[in-house]
Amino acid sequence: ASGFENGKIVLWDLNNYTQIKTIPVRSSSVESLRFSSDGKLLACAPKDGNILILNVESGALVKSLIGGEGLTSLKFKQNNLNLVASSYKNSFDSNLFTVWDINTGAVVNDLQVNISNKLLSFNSDFNLLVSDPNDSLNFYSVELWKYVL
């Protein structure tokens, strides 16, 4: 999938490099995209600060989440029931990691980190959040939602 400044998402067939579908989502630029592990959902972060959960097959909106400005990355939890977003607040020196329940749209938890992060990832069990501020690794427990290393 590719997101564009005109607010459209293009789904591609990577076997023959052709467009499968174009999904218009917003009038603002699409900043981040992430497929669920089963490939059925696509999370999209337009520049307007909302996070859209789309059905890949139909292109229909499944859920809209209010994410705020500065969304930088998205990641589905392996069960596809939760979505984590990284965003910056007020400046690039402070990041906010937020976990949503996709079914209800409710915020499950959030963690503000007073550092700029170059990388956001999770271990394979999705119990550690890894960030890379200033060429060093920081680890946060997803269960406890606090810094651990």
Side-chain angles (χ1 to χ4, degrees), residues 7-9 16 27 31-32 40 42 47 50-51 55 58 66 69 71 79 88 91 98-99 123-124 126-127 133 141 146:
K8 293 183 181 174
I9 297 171
N16 59 20
S27 59
E31 299 294 309
S32 184
K40 294 179 180 180
L42 178 66
K47 202 171 194 173
N50 292 310
I51 298 172
N55 178 298
S58 68
I66 299 172
E69 293 184 37
L71 290 163
N79 64 11
Y88 59 86
S91 73
T98 305
V99 180
N123 67 341
S124 61
F126 202 84
N127 57 12
S141 165
K146 68 177 188 176

Side-chain angles (χ1 to χ4, degrees), residues 36 41 43 53 62-65 75-77 79-84 99-106 108:
S36 61
L41 299 175
I53 310 295
V62 174
K63 186 69 74 177
S64 181
L65 309 170
K75 178 83 173 175
F76 280 94
K77 190 171 178 181
N79 64 11
N80 297 324
L81 300 176
N82 298 102
L83 180 77
V84 179
V99 180
W100 280 274
D101 180 309
I102 293 173
N103 291 323
T104 66
V108 175

Side-chain angles (χ1 to χ4, degrees), residues 85-112:
S86 172
S87 61
Y88 59 86
K89 291 188 69 105
N90 304 324
S91 73
F92 284 102
D93 293 331
S94 180
N95 278 32
L96 181 67
F97 303 123
T98 305
V99 180
W100 280 274
D101 180 309
I102 293 173
N103 291 323
T104 66
V107 172
V108 175
N109 216 330
D110 58 52
L111 171 68
Q112 185 158 348

Side-chain angles (χ1 to χ4, degrees), residues 2 4 15 24 27 29 31 49 52 58 60 66 72 74 78 91 95 105 109-110 125 130 132 147:
S2 302
F4 294 94
N15 293 320
S27 59
S29 175
E31 299 294 309
L52 308 175
S58 68
I66 299 172
T72 58
L74 302 167
Q78 287 177 336
S91 73
N95 278 32
N109 216 330
D110 58 52
D125 296 330
V130 182
D132 179 17
Y147 176 79

